[in-house]
């Protein structure tokens, strides 16, 4: 190629990079409320499927179109698979000692392998069992309150908290749960808090929200909590190894991780799982990933599914008719029934399309890249708007409406990650490793709640009055909790 056209090729895409104009340095920092999935979707209607924002020194690129999402998550995923980390995230994850916030590389690969094979795998029967047990407790709790108004949202959040807490720490340690949840809630706030030092490092000393001392306190609280738990588990392991008789116990996630414990971290390129070594910081950070990754996401999906179905009585009737025909009103749903409930699955898919629990996938570029002709600088924060993509008018007919039937058609997109118009679990290297466990909880909880009970809105509230807003954080649950009145539906006794 001649020198001149070659140069033009590079220059033109650079000039084409669209960006809403902003002040120098401060850039678009006044746009905080626009930086949610909804705000960014609006900007995308104006500026297109890819656009650029500058916050202080930070470059942000937003992707809101399926084809460009494919570019980023599949075609060029080797460049786009890092994670951005704010000061809060780096501090609270022990400088990315976990999997979810680790950069793409050998350390992340080993952590991911460890988690996928040892923690989230179908082979770890204990996790699946804790789902069944806790769903059972949920049905009991609801049936003790039939005819009364129940805070369904909180009940479901308690369910998923219990599931992840048990999977992580075992069932013996319920006492610490309230303390742990408090610590995590503070973490969640700190993860979401806007810190000016992330955009303009030399302004860090200003710290008007007192973030620095809150960060220190929160990390100290978690340290103390998990140190006790890890020490207890080390003790338990010793007695189990030496104790011999009756040494059987259900290993929880901390036990599984302790099998790889060593004082020194060790990153080893070897493909052998047994060569992985993790430190206390790694164990703490991974347990945090599980609590954050598995609790609000699943709770949000269950609550949205029930809310959408209560707003759409025809679909509710059809799901319940399916349950009646496949399972029958004379017994409870069992695991083997789940695969015979196609319409229920469609309702859950439609829920994940309209309400992906993680609306914005956060990635970072490892080096400079070009997408759709636009140059994206190295270390840019890339936000893939899964929420906007699920509502893309070119990909979805009547995109804003809840219409589970659409998924009954042959050849409709699936969320496994190869249809980029539907990516509630992401796609590719950084996609959700807990998908199966999450879907199992979602399926089982919704099937039980709809098979055992009919649901009515409290105090003559109308369907149209159901508040459909979401709030923005790492996840996007409903802005208000769902309240409803359950009535028994089965002709057999529930227990
Ligand atoms: C309905 C339930 C769930 C949904 C919709 C969901 C969705 C997602 C999404 C969208 C991502 C990010 C993908 C990306 O950045 O490209 C993710 C990552 C992750 N999820 Fe989930 N998730 C769910 C349940 C779970 C559960 C139950 C667990 C664990 C027990 C879990 C653990 C994680 C972890 C550790 C990551 C980070 C992976 C990495 O960075 O390599 N998730 N999830
Ligand atoms: C959820 O758990 C909290 C704390 O354990 C408890 O106070 C609350 O009553 C529970 N909510 C419901 C609806 O069961
Ligand atoms: C969660 O576990 C606690 C302690 O075992 C229990 O009291 C509560 O009812 C459980 N919540 C749900 C929703 O199952
Ligand atoms: C990686 O692990 C293998 C097997 O345990 C060992 O032989 C090798 O020396 C290790 N490499 C490094 C760099 O530690």
């Amino acid at each position: 190629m001649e020198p001149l056209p070659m140069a033009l090729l590079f220059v033109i895409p650079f000039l084409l990079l669209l960006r809403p104009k902003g002040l120098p340095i401060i850039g678009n920092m006044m746009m905080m409320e626009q930086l949610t999935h909804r705000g960014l979707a609006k900007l995308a209607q104006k500026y297109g499927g890819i656009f650029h924002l500058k916050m202080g020194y930070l470059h942000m690129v937003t992707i809101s179109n399926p084809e460009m999402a494919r570019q980023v998550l599949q075609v060029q995923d080797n460049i786009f698979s890092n994670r951005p980390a704010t000061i809060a995230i780096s501090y609270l994850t022990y400088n990315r000692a976990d999997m979810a916030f680790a950069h793409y590389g050998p350390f992340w690969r080993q952590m991911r392998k460890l988690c996928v094979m040892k923690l989230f795998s179908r082979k770890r029967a204990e996790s699946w069992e804790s789902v069944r047990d806790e769903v059972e407790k949920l049905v009991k709790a609801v049936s003790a309150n039939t005819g009364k108004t129940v805070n369904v949202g909180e009940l479901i959040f308690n369910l998923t908290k219990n599931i992840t807490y048990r999977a992580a720490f075992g069932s013996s340690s319920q006492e610490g749960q309230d303390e742990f949840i408090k610590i995590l809630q503070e973490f969640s706030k700190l993860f979401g808090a806007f810190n000016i030092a992330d955009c303009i490092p030399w302004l860090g000393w200003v710290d008007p929200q007192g973030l620095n001392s809150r960060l220190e306190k929160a990390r100290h609280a978690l340290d103390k909590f998990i140190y006790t738990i890890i020490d207890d588990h080390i003790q338990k392991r010793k007695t189990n190894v030496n104790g011999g008789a009756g040494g059987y116990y259900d290993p929880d996630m901390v036990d599984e991780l302790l099998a790889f414990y060593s004082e020194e971290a060790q990153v080893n390129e070897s493909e052998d799982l047994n060569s992985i070594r993790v430190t206390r910081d790694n164990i703490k950070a991974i347990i945090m990933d599980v609590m954050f990754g598995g609790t609000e996401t699943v709770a949000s999906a269950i609550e949205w599914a029930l809310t959408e179905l209560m707003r759409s009585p025809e679909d509710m009737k059809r799901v319940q008719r399916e349950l009646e025909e496949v399972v029958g009103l004379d017994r409870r749903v069992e695991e083997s029934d789940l695969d015979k409930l196609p319409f229920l699955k469609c309702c859950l898919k439609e829920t994940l399309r309209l309400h992906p629990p993680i609306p914005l996938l956060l990635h970072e570029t490892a080096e400079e890249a070009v997408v759709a002709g636009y140059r994206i600088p190295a270390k840019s924060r890339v936000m893939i708007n899964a929420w906007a993509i699920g509502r893309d008018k070119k990909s979805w007919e009547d995109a804003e409406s809840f219409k589970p039937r659409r998924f009954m058609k042959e050849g409709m997109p699936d969320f496994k990650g190869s249809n980029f118009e539907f990516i509630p679990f992401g796609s590719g290297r950084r996609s959700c490793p807990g998908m199966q466990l999450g879907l199992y909880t979602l399926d089982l909880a919704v099937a039980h709640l709809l098979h055992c009970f009919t649901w009515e809105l409290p105090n003559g509230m109308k369907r149209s009055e159901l508040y459909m807003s979401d709030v923005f954080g790492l996840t996007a649950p409903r802005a208000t909790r769902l309240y409803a009145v359950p009535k028994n539906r089965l002709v057999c006794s529930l227990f």
Side-chain angles (χ1 to χ4, degrees):
M1 208 180 270
E2 295 291 314
L4 187 62
M6 185 71 180
L8 272 178
L9 252 169
F10 278 101
V11 169
I12 290 173
F14 176 73
L15 292 176
L16 277 177
L17 188 63
L18 287 175
R19 65 159 80 157
K21 275 264 178 285
L23 299 170
I25 302 207
I26 300 296
N28 306 86
M29 229 152 59
M30 309 321 253
M31 303 175 30
M32 278 317 290
E33 70 271 34
Q34 296 185 350
L35 288 179
T36 65
H37 52 287
R38 285 175 191 276
L40 291 169
K42 268 209 197 102
L43 288 176
Q45 280 169 7
K46 204 154 149 201
Y47 297 103
I50 178 168
F51 65 89
H52 170 255
L53 294 166
K54 193 144 186 251
M55 302 261 293
Y57 296 120
L58 191 70
H59 293 281
M60 287 187 171
V61 173
T62 307
I63 307 273
S64 332
N65 139 322
E67 176 47 33
M68 290 177 198
R70 196 175 71 83
Q71 280 291 322
V72 166
L73 295 173
Q74 188 180 59
V75 180
Q76 304 194 53
D77 61 339
N78 57 328
I79 300 178
F80 285 88
S81 290
N82 278 354
R83 285 270 188 236
T86 60
I87 291 168
I89 287 175
S90 301
Y91 187 77
L92 295 176
T93 58
Y94 306 92
N95 204 11
R96 302 166 179 256
D98 65 330
M99 183 231 300
F101 290 106
H103 274 319
Y104 177 70
F107 172 76
W108 168 82
R109 219 174 358 254
Q110 292 209 325
M111 286 301 184
R112 176 120 178 163
K113 190 170 204 172
L114 185 63
C115 290
V116 167
M117 302 198 31
K118 287 289 171 181
L119 303 187
F120 306 146
S121 133
R122 188 86 221 207
K123 278 187 239 140
R124 218 191 93 76
E126 293 84 1
S127 301
W128 263 256
E129 208 172 292
S130 79
V131 173
R132 281 191 294 274
D133 275 4
E134 295 296 331
V135 169
E136 194 69 17
K137 276 208 251 162
L138 169 73
V139 172
K140 269 203 179 109
V142 174
S143 77
N145 286 291
T146 46
K148 295 184 205 142
T149 301
V150 174
N151 184 344
V152 186
E154 194 177 278
L155 205 61
I156 288 167
F157 196 50
N158 281 1
L159 163 81
T160 58
K161 267 192 308 210
N162 280 8
I163 290 173
T164 42
Y165 191 87
R166 252 184 75 174
F169 301 130
S171 45
S172 55
S173 40
Q174 287 286 343
E175 323 85 60
Q177 188 162 358
D178 286 345
E179 188 197 344
F180 187 67
I181 299 300
K182 276 212 194 81
I183 296 174
L184 281 186
Q185 277 165 349
E186 172 70 356
F187 266 53
S188 192
K189 280 188 206 138
L190 289 167
F191 278 156
F194 175 68
N195 187 346
I196 198 162
D198 283 323
C199 308
I200 307 176
W202 49 263
L203 276 180
W205 57 271
V206 181
D207 194 17
Q209 299 147 279
L211 288 179
N212 294 338
S213 73
R214 273 171 70 192
L215 283 171
E216 240 167 82
K217 241 195 230 141
R219 196 166 101 172
H220 184 71
L222 182 72
D223 274 343
K224 228 174 91 202
F225 183 85
I226 297 209
Y227 260 80
T228 322
I229 288 206
I230 292 180
D231 284 339
D232 287 353
H233 279 74
I234 291 177
Q235 276 308 319
K236 196 173 73 179
R237 269 176 81 78
K238 277 199 192 124
T239 42
N240 270 299
V241 171
N242 302 328
Y248 173 80
Y249 68 108
D250 275 348
D252 56 37
M253 287 187 182
V254 174
D255 292 314
E256 307 273 4
L257 290 169
L258 276 174
F260 298 87
Y261 174 69
S262 96
E263 303 281 330
E264 297 272 319
Q266 182 182 323
V267 176
N268 193 317
E269 288 283 3
S270 131
E271 284 296 297
D272 181 12
L273 184 67
N274 293 318
S275 72
I276 299 177
R277 288 289 164 265
V278 296
T279 63
R280 270 176 194 259
D281 282 355
N282 296 142
I283 296 179
K284 272 187 286 193
I286 290 175
I287 293 297
M288 240 167 55
D289 283 0
V290 173
M291 293 300 299
F292 274 121
T295 306
E296 263 206 308
T297 48
V298 182
S300 153
I302 299 173
E303 190 179 5
W304 274 119
L306 294 176
T307 308
E308 287 288 5
L309 283 169
M310 293 199 64
R311 266 218 327 171
S312 175
E314 261 126 68
D315 293 313
M316 177 69 106
K317 240 184 238 148
R318 187 160 167 194
V319 184
Q320 292 195 315
R321 198 175 338 116
E322 184 178 75
L323 282 159
E324 201 175 320
E325 280 162 14
V326 173
V327 182
L329 291 182
D330 53 353
R331 67 173 177 90
R332 298 269 301 277
V333 183
E334 277 158 30
E335 196 171 338
S336 53
D337 297 319
L338 294 178
D339 284 338
K340 299 175 213 145
L341 300 165
F343 191 68
L344 174 69
K345 300 255 165 168
C346 292
C347 293
L348 300 178
K349 278 188 188 163
E350 183 69 342
T351 301
L352 290 169
R353 179 182 74 80
L354 284 172
H355 309 284
I358 301 183
L360 293 175
L361 316 185
L362 295 180
H363 291 225
E364 190 181 277
T365 46
E367 52 191 81
E368 194 176 296
V370 174
V371 172
Y374 302 126
R375 188 188 70 96
I376 297 175
K379 294 205 168 169
S380 296
R381 186 169 298 184
V382 180
M383 299 184 285
I384 300 127
N385 195 340
W387 184 86
I389 290 174
R391 294 169 183 237
D392 181 42
K393 292 200 169 50
K394 291 201 198 82
S395 311
W396 301 97
E397 209 174 291
D398 201 0
E400 297 285 327
S401 309
F402 181 78
K403 279 193 175 162
R405 257 157 304 153
R406 71 173 88 234
F407 283 106
M408 290 299 257
K409 272 193 237 129
E410 212 42 55
M412 285 302 281
D414 199 0
F415 46 54
K416 303 270 160 64
S418 41
N419 303 113
F420 287 86
E421 58 272 53
F422 190 30
I423 46 170
F425 295 96
S427 170
R429 304 175 195 222
R430 295 308 295 236
S431 66
C432 181
M435 179 169 93
Q436 281 201 325
L437 191 55
L439 284 175
Y440 180 64
T441 311
L442 179 61
D443 280 0
L444 205 64
V446 175
H448 272 90
L449 290 176
L450 296 184
H451 186 56
C452 297
F453 309 102
T454 54
W455 295 89
E456 268 155 39
L457 289 171
N459 308 327
M461 183 181 174
K462 288 199 200 70
R463 271 182 273 122
S464 55
E465 290 167 357
L466 268 174
Y467 192 55
M468 299 304 279
S469 277
D470 47 24
V471 290
F472 179 72
L474 281 181
T475 55
R478 290 189 73 222
T480 55
R481 297 276 71 88
L482 173 67
Y483 285 86
V485 182
K487 297 226 173 77
N488 269 326
R489 185 166 172 263
L490 300 189
V491 297
C492 63
S493 107
L494 278 175
F495 298 100

